[in-house]
Amino acid sequence: MAKQSGIIPLQGTIGNITFYKTKSGHLAREKTSMNANRIATDPAFVRTRENGAEFGRAGKASKVLRTAFRAMLLNIGDSYMASRLTREMVKVIQADATNARGLRNVIDGEAELLKGFEFNNNSRLTGALYAPFTTAIDRAAGTLKVDIPPFVPVNMVAAPMGATHFKVQAAGAEIDFEAETFVNGNTASPELPIDATPTAVMALTVNVTANSTKPLFLALGVEFYQQVNGTMYGLKNGTYNALALVDISGM
């Protein structure tokens, strides 16, 4: 794969070279003699078919997880987040030690490998919120919780220029990857000023189904605002907002 250069980017096919546009710019690649039928039937491509099946499964699982956290992801600005999550979901599937290649899945894999995943590479939770916190998932009670002791925002929040306030929020999801369904919930602190006044204790709790046998995911995030004449405005389409998976309980 080559990157096009020049003042007139090309699209289409010239000879055996195909020119096309992506988010990474205008690219070019050589045409191949491969076709879908050969890949689907030729024994030489059995590994390709196995990888394709698992990648497709990872893509579906990634979409379900993103949909479960959609309310919070609407305020996150990272156009590559979906592809990054799918890549990590492939690792979860590859950790399945029960099924044969091509049949491995998220349920029998290691969902805990997603812990620490940052939904926004432009503003990571680890670089936005320095206040210590603890997490707890009570599967029997169906509760997912984040506890944050009091902290001084001006010292513990890395706010972008122009931000006057922030909000800490948590979201939890119980996900059935096979049925592609979920139960979710979220909660948040009020908008707090970024100043030297210590915050109150934050106990953010989300409820899902008690005694669930499905994987449980807990996310923590920070959103930034600018107050103008008493009204809160979000900053730059979510570019500076952070959200990460901070705890996971697999099957």
Side-chain angles (χ1 to χ4, degrees), residues 85-251:
L85 181 57
T86 298
R87 183 174 65 241
E88 297 306 309
M89 198 68 77
V90 167
K91 297 177 183 178
V92 171
I93 290 176
Q94 290 175 339
D96 177 357
T98 302
N99 299 291
R101 282 190 55 154
L103 299 176
R104 295 178 295 188
N105 58 71
V106 175
I107 300 302
D108 296 312
E110 295 292 336
E112 288 85 355
L113 292 175
L114 295 174
K115 183 176 179 180
F117 179 79
E118 297 276 0
F119 288 97
N120 189 0
N121 247 354
N122 301 311
S123 179
R124 302 167 68 86
L125 181 67
T126 52
L129 180 66
Y130 291 92
F133 61 85
T134 57
T135 64
I137 295 180
D138 187 332
R139 184 174 287 276
T143 60
L144 300 90
K145 187 176 182 181
V146 178
D147 288 318
I148 308 177
F151 64 92
V152 177
V154 73
N155 294 335
M156 293 298 185
V157 175
M161 185 177 298
T164 61
H165 290 69
F166 74 102
K167 177 170 66 177
V168 178
Q169 50 189 356
E174 165 200 350
I175 300 180
D176 185 334
F177 287 105
E178 293 180 331
E180 298 183 20
T181 59
F182 55 85
V183 176
N184 64 355
N186 57 73
T187 185
S189 71
E191 290 90 356
L192 301 169
I194 303 171
D195 58 18
T197 303
T199 66
V201 173
M202 297 185 192
L204 305 175
T205 302
V206 179
N207 297 301
V208 294
T209 306
N211 295 307
S212 171
T213 59
K214 307 301 180 183
L216 305 180
F217 297 83
L218 176 61
L220 181 66
V222 181
E223 288 191 2
F224 293 101
Y225 302 86
Q226 183 178 75
Q227 185 178 47
V228 179
N229 296 328
T231 301
M232 296 293 180
Y233 296 91
L235 295 183
K236 200 177 179 181
N237 301 320
T239 300
Y240 301 111
N241 295 332
L243 180 69
L245 292 173
V246 293
D247 204 353
I248 298 172
S249 174
M251 295 293 291

